[in-house]
Amino acid sequence: MGRWEPVTHEIWDTVVTPCEATGQVVAGRQWIAEVEGVERRFCNPQAEELFRSYILPNRRAAEAAAAAAKG
């Protein structure tokens, strides 16, 4: 289960916080969730679900294909 956390930056910071699923810039507050032992930042809980159900399986498949291609 994730949690909401405020995004805090100083006025002079040029840092942006992107959602790890959508790439959308997160302003105000971000959804923090642990995914496979890594704390990740999302724009909302639906983006976390997208990451778990679509991005991770596709990433694993691509890594497996790359490993198989290497031999």
Side-chain angles (χ1 to χ4, degrees):
M1 187 73 188
R3 69 186 186 283
W4 286 108
E5 189 174 284
V7 175
T8 54
H9 296 293
E10 298 298 331
I11 192 82
W12 54 82
D13 283 343
T14 57
V15 176
V16 294
T17 304
C19 172
E20 293 192 43
T22 65
Q24 178 179 339
V25 174
V26 180
R29 66 181 186 161
Q30 58 192 342
W31 181 255
I32 308 293
E34 186 175 311
V35 179
E36 297 185 337
V38 178
E39 194 171 83
R40 299 191 178 271
R41 292 158 173 28
F42 302 101
C43 52
N44 56 44
Q46 292 78 20
E48 174 195 357
E49 180 56 33
L50 174 70
F51 189 84
R52 290 178 186 274
S53 65
Y54 181 76
I55 295 171
L56 280 180
N58 284 326
R59 187 179 291 168
R60 287 186 195 116
E63 289 170 354
K70 282 186 176 180

